[in-house]
């Protein structure tokens, strides 16, 4: 079995991006996740979720 | 005496486009792709702007996970549009085109779906949610990488090398160093972000930085600055004041009579300042002009080099180079191109790095002659790439390519690596990559300078860049064991994949500009205020700042006058990258995997 090329994305790209995004305020932990509204009912800039 | 300068068509050689791996490319292929791309993107953007897709995806892109804010550009739609257009024009037969389209699209779908799923789960469990900016940027990076890796798999590529020599030396330290540098760069960029400087707000408001905060835009510049400082320190501390063993200079030459005497005269001047012996081998590779005579006459007139002409009757630069290595009996060897005039201190400065027994390759900084229309842009390009990034990569043992215009090798390392490979583009990068993976150190030292040819015509520039930009695929295919083996190195697991990703990014830059303009002016999404500034920032702002910084770091203030040309040159370069990937042949071999 060979080392998968896509591991580059999920090991060396996404985690540093996620960490940096959190620290830079481009991502965060929303304590009231359950209160998020559907996209159609509440357009941006609030958190957007889908009907799916 | 110098002969008249070469005619425009003289740049073409057997190495320009390896017959098995490339196809002749019409100048209309890329424009056709761009027209197709514009049509497909328009249709897809229109579709997602109409019901029911509009209410399913209110911000105009196919993102399934929760997100914060409004996005700047729907990169998932962009990637799919580009894939459709590229697959229609790529040099494969119809089944091959369909296969390429399906593979890229399906891989992209799977990776984006996996990413969205992770985000949905993370949101449910912890409330973690990205800004849509981050989701889109990551989606773009996924697309660039998947495009390049599928091309690597499906395009006609060189076979895997029979061996992939590897030694763990330096590799763990390299991973630790890059981790520490990333952490420090994050801390500094976020600290600046917290200062809320008025200058930063001003820059943000004029959109030079695309409206992003300093915590984002400062990260990469700070990271490279840290690595640059570290790389410079390592380079300075690792070399001795004097180290001057005998060295051999090998010069492949095919119809170079017009320039060779000048090249040899520059070598002689450098040899005069060097305490060791300098042997020179001119490797006459099937010349039909007076190259051997010109070399012989120059040797007779020059007093500091010991030179001879070696006839290599089989065409191909790698054949000439390998003949040169076979004829070399000194522990160090310098390869230069026949049109490279080295600085009088170049040999002296380069060889002192080899006082360290683990040094394998040393490179320098190419300087443009200053007489052609691309020279000012080229100077900034080399200052950024070889005077700055290369030094930074050296800090973490991650240099991949040392250009063959001027490269100094430990002769034994070249032999252990298997010699120079032929029949593909990028034999110089292949060599330095393999030597680095063998556990030797590689250094890029910008104090070692040399004047190297810059194309003077558009056709020559096209030939050169298509050759250079294909090389990342050829080198990756041949050395795929470093990518998909279980050996760990920053070079093989981070930098080489990043180079593939970056090649995909460059190939898509011109379509991305078109996409941004289309999205902005057609007004598919009135809720998106930063589309054009974001595109301007990607295309102009950040590269301009980095190039300016690289010029200043190397003390070349005058190079800054070339900044506007450099920005345009980058766009040309991106277009040529697109042509380069289109020139890759398909259907000529079985699977590369």
């Amino acid at each position: 079995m060979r080392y998968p090329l896509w591991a580059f994305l999920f090991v060396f790209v996404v985690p540093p991006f996620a960490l940096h995004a959190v620290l830079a305020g481009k991502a965060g932990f929303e304590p009231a996740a359950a209160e998020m509204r559907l996209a159609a009912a509440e357009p941006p800039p609030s958190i957007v979720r889908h009907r799916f | 005496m110098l002969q008249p300068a070469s005619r425009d068509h003289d740049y073409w050689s057997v190495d320009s486009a390896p017959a098995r791996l490339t196809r002749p490319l019409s100048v209309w292929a890329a424009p056709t792709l761009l027209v197709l791309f514009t049509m497909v993107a328009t249709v897809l953007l229109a579709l997602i702007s109409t019901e029911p897709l509009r209410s399913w995806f209110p911000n105009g892109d196919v993102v399934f996970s929760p997100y914060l804010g409004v996005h700047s550009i729907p990169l998932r739609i962009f990637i799919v549009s580009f894939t459709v257009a590229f697959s229609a024009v790529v040099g494969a037969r119809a089944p091959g085109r369909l296969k390429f389209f399906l593979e890229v699209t399906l891989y992209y779908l799977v990776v984006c779906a996996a990413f969205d799923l992770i985000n949905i789960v993370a949101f449910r469990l912890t409330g973690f949610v990205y800004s849509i900016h981050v989701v889109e940027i990551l989606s773009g990076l996924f697309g660039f990488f998947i495009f390049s890796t599928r091309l690597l798999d499906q395009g006609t590529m060189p076979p895997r090398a029979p061996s992939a020599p590897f030694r763990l030396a330096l590799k763990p330290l390299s991973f630790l160093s890059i981790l520490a540098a990333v952490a420090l760069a994050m801390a500094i960029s976020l600290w600046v972000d917290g200062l809320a400087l008025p200058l930063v707000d001003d820059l943000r408001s004029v959109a030079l930085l695309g409206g992003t905060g300093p915590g984002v835009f400062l990260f990469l510049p700070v990271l490279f600055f840290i690595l640059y400082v570290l790389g410079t320190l390592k380079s300075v501390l690792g070399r001795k004041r004097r180290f001057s063993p005998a060295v051999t200079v090998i010069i492949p030459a095919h119809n170079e009579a017009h320039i060779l005497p000048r090249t040899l005269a520059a070598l002689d001047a450098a040899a005069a300042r060097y305490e060791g012996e300098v042997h020179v081998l001119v490797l006459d590779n099937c010349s039909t002009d007076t190259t051997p005579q010109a070399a012989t006459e120059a040797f007779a007139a020059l007093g500091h080099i010991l030179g001879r002409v070696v006839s290599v009757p089989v065409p191909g630069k790698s054949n000439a180079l390998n003949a040169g290595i076979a004829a070399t009996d000194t522990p160090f060897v310098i390869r230069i191109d026949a049109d490279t005039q080295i600085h009088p201190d170049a040999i002296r400065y380069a060889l002192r790095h080899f006082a360290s027994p683990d040094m394998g390759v040393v490179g320098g900084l190419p300087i443009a002659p200053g007489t052609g229309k691309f020279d000012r842009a080229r100077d900034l390009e080399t200052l950024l790439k070889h005077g700055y990034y290369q030094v930074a990569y050296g800090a973490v043992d991650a240099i991949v390519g040392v250009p063959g215009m001027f490269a100094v090798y430990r002769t034994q390392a070249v032999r252990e690596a298997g010699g120079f490979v032929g029949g593909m583009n990028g034999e110089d990068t292949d060599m330095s990559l393999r030597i680095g993976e063998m556990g030797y150190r590689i250094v890029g030292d910008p104090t070692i300078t040399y004047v190297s040819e810059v194309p003077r015509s558009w056709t020559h520039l096209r030939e050169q860049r298509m050759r250079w930009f294909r090389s990342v695929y050829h080198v990756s295919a041949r050395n795929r064991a470093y990518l998909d083996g279980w050996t760990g190195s920053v070079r093989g697991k981070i930098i080489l994949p990043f180079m593939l990703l970056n090649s995909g990014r460059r190939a898509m830059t011109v379509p991305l500009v078109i996409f941004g303009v289309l999205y902005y002016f057609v007004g598919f999404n009135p809720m998106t205020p930063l589309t054009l500034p974001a595109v301007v920032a990607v295309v102009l702002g950040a590269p301009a700042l980095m190039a300016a910084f690289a010029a200043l770091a190397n003390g070349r203030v005058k190079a800054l006058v070339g900044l506007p040309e450099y920005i345009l040159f980058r766009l040309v370069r991106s277009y040529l990258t697109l042509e380069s990937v289109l020139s890759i042949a398909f259907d000529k071999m079985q699977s590369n995997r």
Side-chain angles (χ1 to χ4, degrees):
Chain A
M1 186 183 155
R2 288 180 175 141
Y3 174 87
L5 292 188
W6 52 260
F8 168 67
L9 296 176
F10 287 96
V11 174
F12 294 112
V13 175
V14 172
F17 247 87
L19 176 62
H20 190 246
V22 170
L23 295 175
K26 296 283 179 184
F29 293 90
E30 298 295 327
E35 294 174 13
M36 296 303 128
R37 298 186 185 133
L38 295 181
E42 184 77 18
S46 62
I47 291 179
V48 175
R49 292 177 64 207
H50 299 281
R51 294 171 195 264
F52 308 107
Chain B
M1 186 170 166
L2 294 182
Q3 295 186 5
S6 61
R7 294 183 307 279
D8 194 39
H9 67 266
D10 283 344
Y11 56 80
W12 193 267
S13 76
V14 68
D15 297 303
S16 293
R20 254 180 358 99
L21 309 178
T22 60
R23 61 158 179 156
L25 188 73
S26 158
V27 291
W28 295 106
T32 305
L33 183 153
L34 294 176
V35 170
L36 276 174
F37 163 79
T38 308
M39 289 162 58
V40 174
T42 305
V43 169
L44 291 182
L45 286 173
L47 272 178
I48 200 134
S49 302
T50 52
E51 295 297 342
L53 293 177
R54 188 188 182 100
S55 54
W56 291 351
F57 305 107
N59 281 294
D61 203 0
V62 188
V63 177
F64 293 93
S65 53
Y67 53 81
L68 285 165
V70 292
H71 65 122
S72 55
I73 195 159
L75 283 176
R76 292 186 179 184
I77 288 180
F78 167 77
I79 295 288
V80 173
S81 306
F82 178 82
T83 305
V84 173
F86 185 86
S87 305
V89 180
V90 75
R93 289 188 285 270
R97 292 176 182 188
L98 182 64
K99 187 175 171 224
F100 183 79
F101 167 73
L102 289 176
E103 263 209 19
V104 175
T105 310
L106 289 176
Y107 266 78
Y108 189 56
L109 195 70
V110 167
V111 168
C112 286
F115 179 63
D116 283 0
L117 188 63
I118 292 168
N119 293 341
I120 290 168
V121 171
F123 179 70
R124 295 274 184 202
L125 294 179
T126 67
F128 178 80
V129 62
Y130 283 112
S131 150
I132 188 68
H133 287 286
V134 179
V135 174
E136 292 292 357
I137 290 170
L138 282 168
S139 298
L141 298 180
F142 295 162
F144 303 151
F145 185 68
I146 288 168
F147 167 78
S148 279
T149 51
R150 292 307 93 207
L151 194 57
L152 194 63
D153 273 355
Q154 293 202 23
T156 307
M157 295 289 156
R160 279 176 187 259
S163 69
F166 181 84
R167 203 155 57 90
L168 200 58
L170 306 172
K171 308 293 187 295
L173 183 63
S174 170
F175 273 110
L176 287 176
S177 305
I178 203 164
L179 193 66
V182 165
L184 188 58
M186 274 190 197
I188 291 174
S189 58
L190 294 168
W191 171 69
V192 174
D193 200 9
L195 294 178
L197 300 171
L199 173 65
V200 169
D201 284 341
D202 291 346
L203 288 173
R204 201 192 311 225
S205 66
V206 298
L208 181 66
L209 302 162
T212 57
V216 175
F217 75 72
L218 269 184
F219 170 67
L220 277 180
V222 170
L223 174 64
F224 275 102
F225 180 69
I226 292 167
L227 293 177
Y228 173 78
V229 171
L230 190 61
T232 304
L233 282 174
K234 273 181 80 171
S235 173
V236 170
L237 296 175
R239 69 193 184 206
K240 288 270 171 60
R241 273 184 79 81
R242 290 167 68 177
F243 183 71
S244 43
V247 63
T248 301
V249 183
I250 57 175
I251 311 174
H254 171 72
N255 291 346
E256 306 283 3
H258 62 284
I259 192 77
L260 201 53
R262 194 180 298 162
T263 300
L264 295 176
L267 269 175
D268 194 64
R273 293 197 189 177
Y274 184 66
E275 290 178 358
E277 284 182 358
V278 179
H279 303 258
V280 178
L281 303 176
V282 169
L283 310 161
D284 174 36
N285 195 206
C286 311
S287 297
T288 53
D289 67 354
T290 56
T291 292
Q293 296 90 320
T296 305
E297 285 170 18
F299 286 141
L302 299 171
H304 300 283
I305 52 178
L306 307 161
R308 68 187 168 100
V309 177
V310 176
S311 176
V312 185
V314 187
K317 190 182 251 185
S318 61
N319 297 319
L321 289 167
N322 286 327
I325 294 296
T328 295
D329 55 7
T330 54
F332 303 99
V333 60
I334 302 175
R335 66 162 285 189
I336 65 171
D337 284 345
D339 53 19
T340 297
Q341 284 91 52
I342 65 171
H343 186 274
D345 285 319
I347 299 178
R348 193 163 65 90
Y349 285 179
L351 266 294
R352 57 189 182 170
H353 288 284
F354 285 94
S356 165
D358 62 354
M359 184 58 66
V361 190
V362 172
L365 174 68
I367 307 285
T371 52
K373 57 174 168 267
F374 304 119
D375 287 22
R376 279 189 293 270
R378 171 63 178 158
D379 264 340
L380 275 171
E381 182 186 50
T382 57
L383 280 167
L384 186 58
K385 186 173 180 191
H386 302 287
Y388 197 68
Y389 288 148
Q390 194 82 308
V391 178
Y393 285 140
V396 287
D397 186 39
I399 293 177
V400 173
V402 174
M405 297 170 275
F406 177 92
V408 192
Y409 304 103
R410 189 174 291 275
T411 312
Q412 185 56 32
V414 175
R415 292 181 176 138
E416 286 171 24
F420 292 93
V421 62
M424 59 174 252
N425 295 128
E427 91 292 329
D428 47 1
T429 302
D430 175 81
M431 177 54 69
S432 49
L433 166 67
R434 291 168 73 79
I435 290 178
E437 291 300 273
M438 283 158 50
Y440 288 102
R441 281 177 58 214
I442 304 176
V443 159
D445 181 349
T447 64
I448 304 163
T449 59
Y450 51 94
V451 175
S452 182
E453 177 206 38
V454 176
R456 302 176 73 88
S457 68
W458 289 99
T459 46
H460 187 186
L461 183 72
R462 183 174 186 255
E463 181 274 338
Q464 182 197 60
R465 295 302 166 132
M466 283 172 68
R467 181 161 42 88
W468 284 4
F469 297 150
R470 267 193 308 262
S471 69
V472 65
Y473 294 96
H474 291 180
V475 170
S476 298
R478 173 171 144 81
N479 294 286
R480 193 146 171 169
Y482 297 130
L483 282 165
D484 65 11
W486 291 96
T487 51
S489 71
V490 167
R491 198 179 281 110
K493 294 295 182 287
I494 300 178
I495 305 298
L496 206 49
F498 174 75
M499 286 168 68
L500 286 168
L501 184 154
N502 198 39
S503 172
R505 195 266 311 161
R506 265 208 325 263
M508 294 189 209
T509 295
V510 175
L512 185 58
V513 172
I514 293 172
F515 192 75
V517 170
L518 182 72
Y519 196 61
Y520 187 77
F521 285 108
V522 178
F524 284 107
N525 190 343
M527 288 190 297
T528 302
L530 282 173
T531 301
L532 197 60
V535 172
V536 170
V538 169
V539 176
L540 304 181
L545 288 176
M546 288 303 287
F549 194 75
L552 294 175
N554 281 278
R556 293 180 184 259
V557 181
K558 284 183 184 170
L560 293 176
V561 297
L563 214 47
E565 289 162 83
Y566 173 68
I567 296 301
L568 290 174
F569 188 72
R570 282 180 67 91
L571 273 179
V572 172
R573 209 172 59 164
S574 299
Y575 182 81
L576 294 176
T577 307
L578 180 59
E579 286 206 296
S580 167
V581 291
L582 281 170
S583 74
I584 289 174
F586 274 60
D587 303 329
K588 289 191 182 175
M589 285 174 72
Q590 301 256 314
S591 166
N592 304 320
R593 301 170 214 192

